[in-house]
Amino acid sequence: MLITKGVEPNTQGKYCPLPGSCPGGCAQEGAQNLEISQAVVLTPSVEVGPVTTSCLGSPTVCCQGDGSGSSCTVTLTQRVSVSIPVKYGVSTSQGQPSIACGGPNCGC
């Protein structure tokens, strides 16, 4: 505990800032530096909704023969738009608070 200044109560119960400036007694005011911490735990959440797909324009078709005339490979290509709704969130929970004295005069 650090004594920061002397104060004295006056007759109305209020404190005077200078020692000897008020009749009726003497009191001291002290102050202490502290560190107070509070942990907050953040937990993420992600929810993926239903995926939707829609076509963009018309497909392209490519046909290629094997050269012998016995088979043909057809490749269809379509541009699509895929919509994926994602809901992001965070939930919080409170950890344990802690306190630590500070300063050189803390270990009385």
Side-chain angles (χ1 to χ4, degrees):
M1 179 72 70
L2 302 172
I3 303 300
T4 57
K5 62 182 176 178
V7 293
E8 292 186 1
N10 65 16
T11 55
Q12 290 82 32
K14 297 182 181 178
Y15 285 87
C16 297
L18 299 174
S21 64
C22 295
C26 176
Q28 294 292 326
E29 182 180 297
Q32 178 64 53
N33 295 329
L34 305 171
E35 281 190 20
I36 299 175
S37 299
Q38 175 62 53
V40 177
V41 179
L42 303 175
T43 304
S45 63
V46 178
E47 184 179 325
V48 178
V51 177
T52 57
T53 305
S54 59
C55 294
L56 298 175
S58 299
T60 58
V61 179
C62 179
C63 181
Q64 185 174 358
D66 69 352
S68 68
S70 61
S71 69
C72 197
T73 301
V74 176
T75 303
L76 299 134
T77 303
Q78 175 69 55
R79 292 193 66 209
V80 296
S81 173
V82 178
S83 177
I84 306 169
V86 179
K87 179 181 175 183
Y88 297 95
V90 173
S91 62
T92 62
S93 62
Q94 183 173 310
Q96 289 296 321
S98 65
I99 188 168
C101 293
N105 298 324
C106 188
C108 302

